[in-house]
Amino acid sequence: MALEHAILVSLLEQPGSGYELARRFERSIGYFWTATHQQIYRVLKRMEGDGWIDAREVAQQTRPDKKEYSVTAQGRSVLAEWLHEPIAPESVRHELAVKIRGAAFDDPVALIREVERHREAHADRLARYLAGELRDFTGPEAPSAPDAGQELQHVVLRGGIAYERMTLAWLDDVIATLHRLGPPA
Amino acid sequence: MALEHAILVSLLEQPGSGYELARRFERSIGYFWTATHQQIYRVLKRMEGDGWIDAREVAQQTRPDKKEYSVTAQGRSVLAEWLHEPIAPESVRHELAVKIRGAAFDDPVALIREVERHREAHADRLARYLAGELRDFTGPEAPSAPDAGQELQHVVLRGGIAYERMTLAWLDDVIATLHRLGPPA
DNA sequence: AAGGCCATGTAACCAGTTACATGATTCA
DNA sequence: TGAATCATGTAACTGGTTACATGGCCTT
């Protein structure tokens, strides 16, 4: 459970509406925490009720009005408290690995296509991460003296990049293994 | 949702009781799918009701009786069907990354200890994986001509090893970054 | 006129977690 | 005697997913 905390972090980085948060969860924040708009609206309501955030109605001419949320002092201290708590080592859920072991009881070669699809998805994600890194951290437009927030965002992004590179290499290994089990008979 | 399928795979590899499954979910299978005994018993019951598995009462002298489950023909075909369905790219949930970005709004140095704890946990896990690899796949006791099931188990384990190595390197990067943001003033 | 984006929600459901419960045997 | 292991469960709760719903503006 950390959606509340992910939202607090995101709103501290930049206040915004539920809709905007939902979009961020498809981008930057979404690289390490996912959430749908339904879930976000529900949690925002609870957080507002608990006094962690407050809303400001923003009227817009061309677009529908929106509620812009910001983190309250109380929200900040809830976040600080959470940051000081140790977290349990994460539990893994790797569906593709289940399928790979399951392939022993079906046709290993039939899985190759699926694994290749995943390989493509990860290659895409890596490309997006690298583009983001160039834009925000290592390119000519990037700040020459990044602040703490930017340094931390960058190190998290480097983690995403490392993860995608590792995954690509592993999926190549998987594909080669599946081929070897195939019909070369 | 794949606990059912993970159970089917595990029971195809080796029939067993709920208790035994729970132990496997702390070991081999647990490297890529976690589940507690409570959840396992609940799901086993449903799977039995749906005819995917069947139970055989096994009386034991010294230990309590147990129900040994095996996969039925129907269970096998359910698994095969699932294997042929494409799966959505997994959604990430990386709590530590949320904390790292959150550290910008608190004390980055205070996070170092926590990150080091995680580093240790991952180093332990890597050691266990490597020991398992040596025992089952690359050591002198390992089969010289592994079958498809063993090849696939090995490639999944290699994925776990690659993941832990990547994570260790990244956590070192994180620790160095947190230090840099610290008091060297 | 149709489809996409902005913006916000409700309701039902399902999967997973946490707490509680029982009881026998084996080992230190 | 007390802790660990084997063995199986119930109940309450929480977090997350899926389906459904509304409505205006902008672009093609």
Side-chain angles (χ1 to χ4, degrees), chain A residues 9 13 32-34 80 82-87 91-95 97 99-102 104-106 114 117-118 149 151-153 155 158-159 162 166 170 173 177 180, chain B residues 9 12-13 32-34 80 82-87 90-95 97 99-102 104-106 114 117-118 151-153 155 158-159 162 166 170 173 177 180:
Chain A
V9 170
E13 287 174 358
F32 51 90
W33 204 270
T34 49
W82 176 72
L83 285 171
H84 296 298
E85 274 169 25
I87 49 178
S91 54
V92 198
R93 294 272 147 85
H94 202 326
E95 215 168 341
K99 282 204 174 190
I100 291 164
R101 271 173 76 153
F105 307 99
D106 192 66
E114 170 83 343
R117 254 189 0 105
H118 282 252
E151 289 278 14
L152 291 168
Q153 285 180 33
V155 76
R158 287 201 297 275
M166 179 280 299
W170 177 61
D173 184 6
T177 304
R180 243 188 300 122
Chain B
V9 170
L12 281 168
E13 287 175 356
F32 52 90
W33 204 271
T34 48
W82 177 72
L83 285 172
H84 296 297
E85 274 168 24
I87 49 178
E90 316 134 53
S91 54
V92 197
R93 292 274 148 86
H94 201 325
E95 214 168 342
K99 282 204 174 189
I100 291 164
R101 270 173 78 154
F105 308 98
D106 192 66
E114 170 83 343
R117 254 188 1 103
H118 281 253
E151 289 278 14
L152 292 169
Q153 285 180 33
V155 77
R158 287 200 296 275
M166 180 279 300
W170 177 60
D173 184 6
T177 302
R180 243 187 300 122

Coordinates of all heavy atoms in Angstrom, one line a residue, chain A residues 9 13 32-34 80 82-87 91-95 97 99-102 104-106 114 117-118 149 151-153 155 158-159 162 166 170 173 177 180, chain B residues 9 12-13 32-34 80 82-87 90-95 97 99-102 104-106 114 117-118 151-153 155 158-159 162 166 170 173 177 180:
Chain A
V9 N 3.9 12.3 -3.1 CA 5.2 12.7 -3.7 C 4.9 13.4 -5.0 O 5.5 14.5 -5.3 CB 6.0 11.4 -4.0 CG1 7.2 11.7 -4.9 CG2 6.5 10.8 -2.7
E13 N 5.9 17.3 -5.9 CA 6.7 17.7 -7.0 C 5.9 18.7 -7.9 O 6.5 19.6 -8.4 CB 7.0 16.5 -7.9 CG 8.1 15.5 -7.2 CD 8.3 14.2 -8.0 OE1 7.7 14.0 -9.0 OE2 9.2 13.5 -7.5
F32 N 7.1 3.3 -11.9 CA 7.3 2.4 -10.7 C 6.1 2.3 -9.9 O 6.1 1.7 -8.8 CB 8.6 2.9 -9.9 CG 8.6 4.3 -9.6 CD1 8.0 4.8 -8.4 CD2 9.1 5.3 -10.4 CE1 8.0 6.1 -8.1 CE2 9.1 6.6 -10.1 CZ 8.5 7.0 -8.9
W33 N 5.0 2.9 -10.3 CA 3.7 2.7 -9.6 C 2.6 2.9 -10.5 O 2.5 4.0 -11.1 CB 3.6 3.6 -8.3 CG 2.7 3.0 -7.4 CD1 1.3 3.1 -7.3 CD2 3.0 2.0 -6.3 NE1 0.8 2.3 -6.3 CE2 1.8 1.7 -5.7 CE3 4.2 1.5 -5.9 CZ2 1.8 0.7 -4.6 CZ3 4.2 0.5 -4.9 CH2 3.0 0.2 -4.3
T34 N 1.7 2.0 -10.7 CA 0.6 2.2 -11.6 C -0.7 2.4 -10.8 O -0.9 1.9 -9.7 CB 0.4 1.0 -12.5 OG1 0.3 -0.2 -11.7 CG2 1.5 0.9 -13.5
A80 N 6.5 12.0 5.7 CA 7.8 11.9 6.4 C 7.8 10.7 7.3 O 8.8 9.9 7.4 CB 8.0 13.2 7.2
W82 N 6.1 8.0 7.0 CA 6.1 6.7 6.1 C 7.6 6.5 5.6 O 8.0 5.4 5.6 CB 5.2 6.9 4.9 CG 5.2 5.7 4.0 CD1 4.8 4.5 4.2 CD2 5.8 5.8 2.7 NE1 5.0 3.7 3.0 CE2 5.6 4.5 2.1 CE3 6.4 6.8 1.9 CZ2 6.1 4.2 0.8 CZ3 6.8 6.4 0.6 CH2 6.7 5.1 0.1
L83 N 8.2 7.6 5.3 CA 9.6 7.5 4.8 C 10.5 6.9 5.9 O 11.5 6.2 5.5 CB 10.2 8.8 4.4 CG 9.6 9.4 3.1 CD1 10.1 10.8 2.9 CD2 10.1 8.5 1.9
H84 N 10.2 7.1 7.1 CA 11.1 6.6 8.2 C 10.7 5.1 8.6 O 11.5 4.5 9.3 CB 11.0 7.5 9.4 CG 11.6 8.8 9.1 ND1 12.9 9.0 8.7 CD2 11.0 10.1 9.1 CE1 13.1 10.3 8.5 NE2 11.9 11.0 8.7
E85 N 9.6 4.6 8.1 CA 9.2 3.2 8.4 C 10.0 2.3 7.4 O 10.0 2.6 6.2 CB 7.7 3.0 8.1 CG 6.8 3.3 9.3 CD 5.4 3.3 8.8 OE1 5.1 2.7 7.8 OE2 4.6 4.0 9.4
P86 N 10.5 1.2 7.9 CA 11.1 0.2 7.0 C 10.0 -0.4 6.2 O 8.8 -0.6 6.7 CB 11.7 -0.8 7.9 CG 11.0 -0.7 9.2 CD 10.5 0.7 9.3
I87 N 10.2 -0.8 4.9 CA 9.3 -1.5 4.2 C 9.7 -2.9 4.0 O 10.9 -3.2 4.0 CB 9.0 -0.9 2.8 CG1 10.3 -0.5 2.1 CG2 8.1 0.4 2.9 CD1 10.1 0.1 0.7
S91 N 7.1 -8.3 -2.8 CA 6.7 -9.6 -3.3 C 6.6 -9.5 -4.8 O 6.1 -8.6 -5.4 CB 5.4 -10.0 -2.7 OG 4.4 -9.0 -3.0
V92 N 7.2 -10.5 -5.4 CA 7.3 -10.6 -6.9 C 6.0 -11.2 -7.5 O 5.4 -12.1 -6.9 CB 8.5 -11.5 -7.2 CG1 8.9 -11.2 -8.7 CG2 9.6 -11.3 -6.3
R93 N 5.7 -10.7 -8.6 CA 4.6 -11.3 -9.4 C 5.0 -11.3 -10.9 O 4.8 -10.3 -11.5 CB 3.3 -10.5 -9.2 CG 2.7 -10.6 -7.9 CD 1.7 -11.7 -7.7 NE 1.8 -12.2 -6.3 CZ 1.0 -11.7 -5.3 NH1 0.2 -10.8 -5.5 NH2 1.2 -12.2 -4.1
H94 N 5.6 -12.4 -11.3 CA 6.1 -12.3 -12.7 C 5.4 -13.4 -13.5 O 5.8 -14.5 -13.6 CB 7.6 -12.6 -12.7 CG 8.3 -12.1 -13.9 ND1 7.7 -12.1 -15.1 CD2 9.5 -11.5 -14.1 CE1 8.5 -11.6 -16.0 NE2 9.6 -11.2 -15.4
E95 N 4.3 -13.0 -14.1 CA 3.4 -13.9 -14.8 C 4.1 -14.6 -16.0 O 3.9 -15.8 -16.2 CB 2.2 -13.1 -15.4 CG 0.9 -13.8 -15.4 CD -0.3 -12.9 -15.7 OE1 -0.2 -11.7 -15.5 OE2 -1.3 -13.5 -16.1
A97 N 7.1 -15.6 -16.2 CA 7.9 -16.6 -15.7 C 7.1 -17.9 -15.4 O 7.5 -19.0 -15.6 CB 8.7 -16.2 -14.4
K99 N 4.4 -18.7 -17.0 CA 4.2 -19.2 -18.4 C 5.3 -20.0 -18.9 O 5.2 -21.1 -19.5 CB 3.8 -18.1 -19.4 CG 2.4 -17.6 -19.2 CD 2.0 -17.0 -20.5 CE 0.5 -16.6 -20.4 NZ -0.1 -16.2 -21.7
I100 N 6.5 -19.5 -18.7 CA 7.7 -20.1 -19.2 C 7.9 -21.5 -18.6 O 8.1 -22.5 -19.2 CB 9.0 -19.3 -19.0 CG1 8.9 -18.0 -19.9 CG2 10.2 -20.1 -19.3 CD1 9.9 -16.9 -19.5
R101 N 7.7 -21.6 -17.3 CA 7.7 -22.9 -16.6 C 6.6 -23.8 -17.0 O 6.7 -25.0 -17.2 CB 7.8 -22.8 -15.1 CG 9.3 -22.7 -14.7 CD 9.5 -22.4 -13.2 NE 9.3 -23.5 -12.4 CZ 9.9 -23.6 -11.2 NH1 10.7 -22.7 -10.8 NH2 9.6 -24.6 -10.4
G102 N 5.4 -23.2 -17.3 CA 4.3 -23.9 -17.7 C 4.5 -24.5 -19.1 O 3.9 -25.5 -19.5
A104 N 6.7 -26.2 -20.3 CA 7.2 -27.6 -20.3 C 6.0 -28.5 -20.5 O 6.2 -29.7 -20.9 CB 7.9 -27.8 -19.0
F105 N 4.8 -28.1 -20.1 CA 3.6 -29.0 -20.2 C 2.8 -28.7 -21.4 O 1.6 -29.1 -21.5 CB 2.8 -29.0 -18.9 CG 3.7 -29.2 -17.7 CD1 4.2 -28.1 -17.0 CD2 4.1 -30.5 -17.4 CE1 5.1 -28.4 -15.9 CE2 5.0 -30.7 -16.3 CZ 5.4 -29.7 -15.6
D106 N 3.3 -27.9 -22.3 CA 2.6 -27.6 -23.5 C 3.6 -27.5 -24.6 O 4.6 -28.3 -24.6 CB 1.9 -26.2 -23.3 CG 0.9 -25.9 -24.4 OD1 -0.1 -26.6 -24.5 OD2 1.1 -24.9 -25.2
E114 N 4.8 -14.9 -28.0 CA 4.4 -14.1 -26.8 C 5.7 -13.4 -26.2 O 5.6 -12.2 -25.8 CB 3.7 -15.0 -25.8 CG 3.5 -14.5 -24.5 CD 2.2 -13.6 -24.4 OE1 1.7 -13.2 -25.5 OE2 1.7 -13.4 -23.3
R117 N 6.7 -10.5 -28.2 CA 5.9 -9.4 -28.0 C 6.3 -8.6 -26.7 O 6.4 -7.4 -26.7 CB 4.4 -9.9 -27.7 CG 3.5 -9.6 -28.8 CD 2.0 -9.9 -28.5 NE 1.7 -10.4 -27.1 CZ 1.2 -9.6 -26.2 NH1 0.9 -8.4 -26.4 NH2 1.0 -10.2 -25.0
H118 N 6.6 -9.3 -25.7 CA 7.1 -8.7 -24.4 C 8.4 -8.0 -24.7 O 8.7 -6.9 -24.2 CB 7.2 -9.7 -23.3 CG 5.9 -10.1 -22.7 ND1 5.5 -9.6 -21.4 CD2 4.9 -10.8 -23.2 CE1 4.3 -10.1 -21.2 NE2 3.9 -10.8 -22.2
G149 N 15.9 17.0 -5.8 CA 14.7 16.3 -6.4 C 15.1 15.7 -7.8 O 14.7 14.6 -8.1
E151 N 18.1 15.0 -8.9 CA 19.1 13.9 -8.8 C 18.3 12.6 -8.4 O 18.7 11.5 -8.9 CB 20.0 14.2 -7.6 CG 21.1 15.3 -7.9 CD 22.3 14.8 -8.7 OE1 22.2 13.7 -9.2 OE2 23.3 15.6 -8.8
L152 N 17.3 12.7 -7.5 CA 16.6 11.5 -7.1 C 15.8 11.0 -8.2 O 15.7 9.8 -8.4 CB 15.8 11.8 -5.8 CG 16.7 12.1 -4.6 CD1 15.9 12.7 -3.5 CD2 17.4 10.8 -4.2
Q153 N 15.1 11.9 -9.0 CA 14.3 11.4 -10.1 C 15.2 10.7 -11.1 O 14.9 9.7 -11.7 CB 13.6 12.6 -10.8 CG 12.4 13.1 -10.0 CD 11.7 14.3 -10.6 OE1 11.7 14.4 -11.8 NE2 11.2 15.2 -9.8
V155 N 18.1 9.1 -10.5 CA 18.6 7.8 -10.1 C 17.5 6.7 -10.2 O 17.7 5.6 -10.5 CB 19.2 7.8 -8.7 CG1 18.2 7.9 -7.6 CG2 20.1 6.6 -8.4
R158 N 17.4 5.9 -13.8 CA 18.5 4.9 -14.1 C 18.1 3.5 -13.7 O 18.5 2.6 -14.4 CB 19.8 5.4 -13.4 CG 20.4 6.6 -14.0 CD 21.9 6.8 -13.6 NE 22.2 7.0 -12.2 CZ 22.1 8.1 -11.5 NH1 21.8 9.2 -12.2 NH2 22.4 8.1 -10.2
G159 N 17.4 3.4 -12.6 CA 16.9 2.0 -12.2 C 16.0 1.4 -13.2 O 16.1 0.3 -13.6
A162 N 18.1 0.4 -16.2 CA 18.9 -0.8 -15.9 C 17.9 -2.1 -15.9 O 18.3 -3.1 -16.5 CB 19.5 -0.7 -14.5
M166 N 18.3 -5.2 -18.5 CA 18.4 -6.5 -18.0 C 17.3 -7.4 -18.6 O 17.6 -8.6 -19.0 CB 18.4 -6.4 -16.5 CG 18.5 -7.7 -15.7 SD 17.0 -8.7 -15.6 CE 15.9 -7.5 -14.8
W170 N 17.6 -10.9 -20.8 CA 17.0 -12.1 -20.3 C 16.0 -12.7 -21.3 O 16.0 -13.9 -21.6 CB 16.3 -11.9 -18.9 CG 15.7 -13.2 -18.4 CD1 16.3 -14.4 -18.2 CD2 14.3 -13.4 -18.2 NE1 15.4 -15.3 -17.8 CE2 14.1 -14.7 -17.8 CE3 13.2 -12.5 -18.3 CZ2 12.9 -15.2 -17.4 CZ3 11.9 -13.1 -17.9 CH2 11.8 -14.4 -17.5
D173 N 17.6 -14.5 -23.9 CA 18.0 -15.8 -23.4 C 16.8 -16.8 -23.4 O 17.0 -17.9 -23.8 CB 18.5 -15.6 -21.9 CG 19.1 -16.9 -21.3 OD1 19.2 -17.9 -22.0 OD2 19.4 -16.8 -20.1
T177 N 16.5 -20.2 -25.6 CA 16.2 -21.4 -24.9 C 15.0 -22.1 -25.5 O 15.0 -23.3 -25.7 CB 16.0 -21.2 -23.4 OG1 17.1 -20.5 -22.8 CG2 15.7 -22.5 -22.6
R180 N 15.9 -23.7 -28.7 CA 16.6 -24.9 -28.5 C 15.8 -26.1 -28.2 O 16.1 -27.2 -28.5 CB 17.7 -24.7 -27.4 CG 19.1 -24.8 -27.9 CD 20.1 -24.8 -26.8 NE 20.0 -23.5 -26.0 CZ 19.7 -23.5 -24.7 NH1 19.5 -24.6 -24.0 NH2 19.7 -22.3 -24.1
Chain B
V9 N 1.0 -25.3 -12.6 CA 2.3 -25.6 -13.0 C 3.1 -26.3 -11.9 O 3.7 -27.4 -12.2 CB 3.1 -24.3 -13.4 CG1 4.6 -24.6 -13.6 CG2 2.5 -23.6 -14.6
L12 N 1.9 -29.8 -11.6 CA 2.3 -30.7 -12.8 C 3.7 -31.1 -12.6 O 4.1 -32.2 -12.9 CB 2.1 -29.9 -14.1 CG 0.7 -29.9 -14.6 CD1 0.5 -28.9 -15.8 CD2 0.2 -31.3 -15.1
E13 N 4.5 -30.2 -12.1 CA 5.9 -30.5 -11.8 C 6.0 -31.6 -10.7 O 6.9 -32.4 -10.8 CB 6.7 -29.2 -11.4 CG 7.0 -28.3 -12.6 CD 7.7 -27.0 -12.2 OE1 7.9 -26.7 -11.0 OE2 8.0 -26.2 -13.1
F32 N 9.1 -16.0 -8.3 CA 8.4 -15.2 -9.2 C 6.9 -15.1 -9.0 O 6.2 -14.5 -9.8 CB 8.8 -15.6 -10.7 CG 8.6 -17.0 -11.0 CD1 7.4 -17.5 -11.4 CD2 9.6 -17.9 -10.8 CE1 7.2 -18.8 -11.7 CE2 9.4 -19.3 -11.0 CZ 8.2 -19.7 -11.5
W33 N 6.5 -15.8 -7.9 CA 5.1 -15.6 -7.6 C 4.9 -15.9 -6.1 O 5.3 -17.0 -5.6 CB 4.1 -16.5 -8.4 CG 2.7 -16.0 -8.4 CD1 1.7 -16.2 -7.6 CD2 2.2 -15.0 -9.4 NE1 0.6 -15.5 -7.9 CE2 0.9 -14.7 -9.0 CE3 2.8 -14.4 -10.5 CZ2 0.1 -13.8 -9.7 CZ3 2.0 -13.5 -11.2 CH2 0.7 -13.2 -10.8
T34 N 4.3 -15.0 -5.3 CA 4.2 -15.3 -3.9 C 2.7 -15.6 -3.6 O 1.8 -15.1 -4.2 CB 4.6 -14.1 -3.1 OG1 4.0 -12.9 -3.6 CG2 6.1 -13.9 -3.1
A80 N -3.3 -25.0 -20.7 CA -2.9 -24.8 -22.1 C -3.5 -23.6 -22.7 O -2.9 -22.8 -23.4 CB -3.2 -26.1 -22.8
W82 N -4.7 -20.9 -21.2 CA -4.1 -19.7 -20.6 C -2.7 -19.4 -21.2 O -2.4 -18.3 -21.5 CB -3.9 -19.9 -19.1 CG -3.2 -18.7 -18.4 CD1 -3.8 -17.5 -18.2 CD2 -1.9 -18.7 -17.9 NE1 -2.8 -16.7 -17.5 CE2 -1.7 -17.4 -17.3 CE3 -0.9 -19.7 -17.7 CZ2 -0.5 -17.1 -16.7 CZ3 0.3 -19.3 -17.1 CH2 0.5 -18.0 -16.6
L83 N -1.9 -20.5 -21.5 CA -0.6 -20.3 -22.1 C -0.7 -19.7 -23.5 O 0.2 -18.9 -23.9 CB 0.1 -21.6 -22.2 CG 0.7 -22.2 -20.9 CD1 1.2 -23.6 -21.1 CD2 1.8 -21.3 -20.4
H84 N -1.8 -19.9 -24.1 CA -2.0 -19.4 -25.5 C -2.6 -18.0 -25.5 O -2.5 -17.3 -26.5 CB -2.8 -20.3 -26.4 CG -2.2 -21.6 -26.5 ND1 -1.0 -21.8 -27.2 CD2 -2.5 -22.9 -26.1 CE1 -0.6 -23.1 -27.2 NE2 -1.5 -23.8 -26.5
E85 N -3.1 -17.5 -24.4 CA -3.6 -16.1 -24.3 C -2.4 -15.2 -24.1 O -1.5 -15.4 -23.3 CB -4.4 -16.0 -23.1 CG -5.9 -16.3 -23.3 CD -6.6 -16.4 -21.9 OE1 -6.1 -15.8 -20.9 OE2 -7.6 -17.1 -21.8
P86 N -2.4 -14.0 -24.8 CA -1.4 -13.0 -24.5 C -1.7 -12.4 -23.1 O -2.8 -12.3 -22.7 CB -1.6 -12.0 -25.6 CG -3.0 -12.2 -26.1 CD -3.4 -13.6 -25.8
I87 N -0.6 -12.0 -22.5 CA -0.8 -11.3 -21.2 C -0.4 -9.9 -21.3 O 0.5 -9.5 -22.2 CB 0.0 -12.0 -20.0 CG1 1.5 -12.3 -20.4 CG2 -0.6 -13.3 -19.6 CD1 2.3 -12.9 -19.3
E90 N 3.2 -6.4 -17.5 CA 3.0 -6.3 -16.1 C 3.0 -4.8 -15.5 O 3.7 -4.0 -16.0 CB 4.0 -7.0 -15.3 CG 4.3 -8.4 -15.9 CD 5.8 -8.6 -15.9 OE1 6.5 -8.4 -14.9 OE2 6.4 -8.9 -17.0
S91 N 2.2 -4.6 -14.5 CA 2.2 -3.3 -13.9 C 3.2 -3.3 -12.8 O 3.3 -4.3 -12.0 CB 0.8 -3.0 -13.4 OG 0.4 -4.0 -12.5
V92 N 4.0 -2.3 -12.7 CA 5.1 -2.2 -11.7 C 4.6 -1.7 -10.4 O 3.7 -0.8 -10.4 CB 6.2 -1.3 -12.3 CG1 7.5 -1.5 -11.6 CG2 6.3 -1.5 -13.8
R93 N 5.2 -2.1 -9.3 CA 4.9 -1.6 -8.0 C 6.2 -1.6 -7.2 O 6.6 -2.6 -6.7 CB 3.9 -2.5 -7.2 CG 2.5 -2.5 -7.8 CD 1.6 -1.3 -7.3 NE 0.7 -0.9 -8.3 CZ -0.5 -1.4 -8.5 NH1 -1.0 -2.4 -7.7 NH2 -1.3 -0.9 -9.4
H94 N 6.9 -0.5 -7.3 CA 8.2 -0.4 -6.7 C 8.2 0.6 -5.6 O 8.6 1.8 -5.8 CB 9.2 -0.1 -7.8 CG 10.6 -0.6 -7.4 ND1 11.1 -0.5 -6.1 CD2 11.6 -1.1 -8.1 CE1 12.3 -1.0 -6.0 NE2 12.7 -1.3 -7.2
E95 N 7.9 0.2 -4.4 CA 7.7 1.0 -3.3 C 9.0 1.8 -2.9 O 8.9 3.0 -2.6 CB 7.3 0.2 -2.0 CG 6.4 0.9 -1.1 CD 5.7 0.0 -0.1 OE1 5.8 -1.2 -0.3 OE2 5.2 0.5 0.9
A97 N 11.2 2.9 -4.9 CA 11.4 4.0 -5.8 C 10.5 5.2 -5.4 O 11.0 6.4 -5.5 CB 11.1 3.6 -7.2
K99 N 9.8 5.9 -2.3 CA 10.5 6.5 -1.2 C 11.7 7.3 -1.6 O 11.9 8.4 -1.1 CB 11.0 5.4 -0.3 CG 9.9 4.8 0.6 CD 10.5 4.2 1.9 CE 9.4 3.7 2.8 NZ 9.9 3.3 4.1
I100 N 12.4 6.9 -2.6 CA 13.6 7.6 -3.1 C 13.2 9.0 -3.6 O 13.8 10.0 -3.3 CB 14.3 6.8 -4.1 CG1 15.0 5.5 -3.4 CG2 15.4 7.6 -4.8 CD1 15.4 4.5 -4.4
R101 N 12.1 9.0 -4.4 CA 11.7 10.3 -4.9 C 11.1 11.1 -3.8 O 11.2 12.4 -3.8 CB 10.7 10.1 -6.1 CG 11.4 10.1 -7.4 CD 10.6 9.8 -8.5 NE 9.8 10.9 -9.0 CZ 9.3 10.9 -10.3 NH1 9.7 10.0 -11.2 NH2 8.6 11.9 -10.7
G102 N 10.5 10.5 -2.8 CA 9.9 11.2 -1.7 C 11.0 11.8 -0.8 O 10.8 12.8 -0.1
A104 N 13.3 13.6 -1.5 CA 13.6 15.0 -1.8 C 12.9 15.9 -0.9 O 13.3 17.1 -0.7 CB 13.2 15.3 -3.3
F105 N 11.8 15.5 -0.3 CA 11.0 16.3 0.6 C 11.2 16.0 2.1 O 10.4 16.4 2.9 CB 9.5 16.2 0.2 CG 9.3 16.4 -1.2 CD1 9.2 15.4 -2.1 CD2 9.3 17.7 -1.7 CE1 9.0 15.6 -3.5 CE2 9.1 18.0 -3.1 CZ 9.0 16.9 -4.0
D106 N 12.2 15.3 2.3 CA 12.6 14.9 3.7 C 14.1 14.9 3.8 O 14.7 15.7 3.1 CB 12.0 13.5 4.0 CG 12.1 13.2 5.5 OD1 11.4 13.8 6.3 OD2 12.8 12.2 5.9
E114 N 17.9 2.3 5.2 CA 16.8 1.5 4.6 C 17.3 0.9 3.3 O 17.1 -0.3 3.0 CB 15.6 2.4 4.4 CG 14.5 1.8 3.6 CD 13.5 1.0 4.4 OE1 13.9 0.6 5.5 OE2 12.4 0.7 3.9
R117 N 19.6 -1.9 3.9 CA 18.8 -3.1 4.3 C 18.3 -3.9 3.1 O 18.4 -5.1 3.1 CB 17.6 -2.7 5.2 CG 17.7 -2.9 6.7 CD 16.4 -2.7 7.4 NE 15.3 -2.3 6.7 CZ 14.2 -3.1 6.3 NH1 14.2 -4.3 6.7 NH2 13.2 -2.6 5.6
H118 N 17.8 -3.1 2.2 CA 17.3 -3.8 1.0 C 18.4 -4.4 0.2 O 18.3 -5.5 -0.4 CB 16.6 -2.8 0.1 CG 15.2 -2.5 0.5 ND1 14.1 -3.0 -0.1 CD2 14.7 -1.8 1.6 CE1 13.0 -2.6 0.5 NE2 13.3 -1.9 1.6
E151 N 15.4 -27.2 -18.3 CA 15.9 -26.1 -19.1 C 15.1 -24.9 -18.8 O 15.6 -23.8 -18.6 CB 15.8 -26.4 -20.6 CG 16.8 -27.4 -21.1 CD 18.2 -26.9 -21.4 OE1 18.5 -25.7 -20.9 OE2 18.9 -27.6 -22.0
L152 N 13.8 -25.0 -18.7 CA 12.9 -23.9 -18.5 C 13.0 -23.4 -17.1 O 13.0 -22.1 -16.9 CB 11.4 -24.2 -18.9 CG 11.2 -24.5 -20.4 CD1 9.9 -25.1 -20.6 CD2 11.4 -23.2 -21.2
Q153 N 13.1 -24.3 -16.2 CA 13.3 -23.8 -14.8 C 14.6 -23.1 -14.7 O 14.7 -22.1 -14.0 CB 13.3 -25.0 -13.8 CG 11.9 -25.6 -13.6 CD 11.9 -26.8 -12.6 OE1 12.8 -26.9 -11.7 NE2 11.0 -27.7 -12.9
V155 N 16.2 -21.3 -17.1 CA 16.2 -20.0 -17.7 C 15.4 -19.0 -16.8 O 15.8 -17.8 -16.7 CB 15.7 -20.0 -19.1 CG1 14.1 -20.2 -19.2 CG2 16.1 -18.8 -19.9
R158 N 17.8 -18.1 -14.1 CA 18.8 -17.1 -14.7 C 18.2 -15.7 -14.7 O 18.9 -14.7 -14.4 CB 19.3 -17.5 -16.1 CG 20.2 -18.7 -16.1 CD 21.0 -18.8 -17.4 NE 20.2 -19.0 -18.6 CZ 19.8 -20.2 -19.1 NH1 20.0 -21.3 -18.4 NH2 19.1 -20.2 -20.2
G159 N 16.9 -15.6 -14.9 CA 16.3 -14.3 -14.9 C 16.3 -13.7 -13.5 O 16.6 -12.6 -13.3
A162 N 19.8 -12.5 -12.8 CA 20.1 -11.3 -13.5 C 19.4 -10.1 -12.8 O 20.0 -9.0 -12.6 CB 19.6 -11.4 -15.0
M166 N 21.3 -6.9 -11.2 CA 21.0 -5.6 -11.6 C 20.6 -4.7 -10.4 O 21.0 -3.6 -10.3 CB 19.9 -5.7 -12.7 CG 19.4 -4.4 -13.3 SD 18.2 -3.6 -12.3 CE 16.9 -4.8 -12.1
W170 N 22.2 -1.3 -8.9 CA 21.3 0.0 -8.9 C 21.3 0.5 -7.4 O 21.4 1.7 -7.2 CB 19.9 -0.3 -9.4 CG 19.1 0.9 -9.3 CD1 19.3 2.1 -9.8 CD2 17.9 1.1 -8.5 NE1 18.3 3.0 -9.5 CE2 17.4 2.4 -8.6 CE3 17.1 0.2 -7.6 CZ2 16.3 2.9 -8.0 CZ3 16.0 0.7 -7.0 CH2 15.6 2.0 -7.2
D173 N 24.2 2.5 -6.7 CA 24.1 3.8 -7.3 C 23.2 4.7 -6.5 O 23.5 5.8 -6.2 CB 23.4 3.5 -8.7 CG 23.3 4.8 -9.6 OD1 23.8 5.9 -9.1 OD2 22.7 4.7 -10.7
T177 N 24.3 8.1 -4.6 CA 23.5 9.4 -4.9 C 23.0 10.0 -3.6 O 23.2 11.2 -3.4 CB 22.3 9.1 -5.8 OG1 22.8 8.5 -7.0 CG2 21.6 10.3 -6.2
R180 N 25.9 11.7 -1.9 CA 26.3 12.9 -2.5 C 25.3 14.1 -2.1 O 25.8 15.2 -2.1 CB 26.2 12.7 -4.0 CG 27.6 12.9 -4.7 CD 27.5 12.9 -6.2 NE 27.0 11.6 -6.7 CZ 25.9 11.6 -7.4 NH1 25.2 12.6 -7.8 NH2 25.5 10.4 -7.9

